Structure formats: structure tokens, C-alpha cells
Amino acid sequence: QVQLVESGGGLVQAGGSLRLSCSASGRFFSINVMGWYRQAPGKQRELVAVISRGSITNYADSVKGRFTISRDNAKNTVYLQMNSLKPEDTAVYYCNADKVVGPLGTSYNNWGQGTQVTVSS
């Protein structure tokens, strides 16, 4: 029903910045919440930031003040601007779309394939 494609990952030095993008495509009418999660080697996947259709945001404490999430509903795209990156931000970052309303019903917890972010010290 919905496909999510992330882009913008890469290798950056500590203190640098990256901008991730995630575009949603497929047959749907609306997406309630979009967000970013990350998973570092040997660790569980964790929330980074989420944003509702009405632009209400929530951030993990570890990224507050450094990361900014935004979305363009017309383009079905969510962004994550990451500044002041630290080595501990190194992880695979996954895009998530929750409560996607489409012609065949509503789907929850849809995931992209992930994009690698590596921050060198």
C-alpha cells in the first residue's frame, strides 16, 4: 500500500551535518505520523523523532536541540536535519509511516529499507 524510500545518509565527521529524506509512494489517501528511528549495531531500534500530519513533533532526548524533523504533506516526504553529529549517532536510520489510510484500508507501522549514517570522531 505504501512504499518508503530513504536517502541522504553517508559518512560525516563529528560536528558535521546531514539531511535525510524519506518519500512515500503508493495508493493511499493520507499518512498520520511519519518518523525516523535508528538502530546501531548490537542495539535495539529506537525512536529518533516523529511528526504528525499537523506537525506536532516528538524527539528522543539524545537528539533534542540537534535534530529537526519536518514534513511536506503535499510531497508525502519527511525530512530529518541532523546537526552537531556525534559518533554515537552512527546507525542505520529507518523511515516509518504509521496509520496510512488507503483504498484497501489502514496500515500501521510501515518501514523503509534504511540508510546508513556514520559519524567519525
Side-chain angles (χ1 to χ4, degrees):
Q1 187 175 5
V2 62
Q3 294 80 45
L4 303 172
V5 178
E6 303 103 332
S7 62
L11 173 64
V12 65
Q13 288 188 332
S17 298
L18 283 174
R19 189 190 194 209
L20 305 183
S21 299
C22 171
S23 294
S25 62
R27 297 185 65 198
F28 56 88
F29 303 128
S30 65
I31 303 174
N32 186 13
V33 178
M34 299 187 78
W36 293 94
Y37 291 72
R38 67 187 181 187
Q39 187 166 18
K43 295 187 176 181
Q44 289 189 333
R45 191 172 297 187
E46 63 177 6
L47 179 146
V48 176
V50 292
I51 183 168
S52 71
R53 187 168 178 81
S55 296
I56 296 173
T57 59
N58 187 36
Y59 294 91
D61 288 342
S62 59
V63 306
K64 284 181 180 177
R66 300 188 298 121
F67 291 9
T68 302
I69 190 170
S70 61
R71 67 188 282 176
D72 184 331
N73 291 328
K75 295 181 179 180
N76 296 312
T77 300
V78 63
Y79 306 95
L80 185 68
Q81 178 65 43
M82 305 186 293
N83 298 328
S84 302
L85 282 160
K86 304 175 181 180
E88 50 264 43
D89 294 318
T90 296
V92 177
Y93 283 69
Y94 295 92
C95 178
N96 179 275
D98 195 31
K99 195 175 180 181
V100 179
V101 180
L104 300 180
T106 300
S107 66
Y108 299 87
N109 219 22
N110 301 276
W111 294 97
Q113 292 298 308
T115 184
Q116 177 70 46
V117 171
T118 302
V119 184
S120 63
S121 58

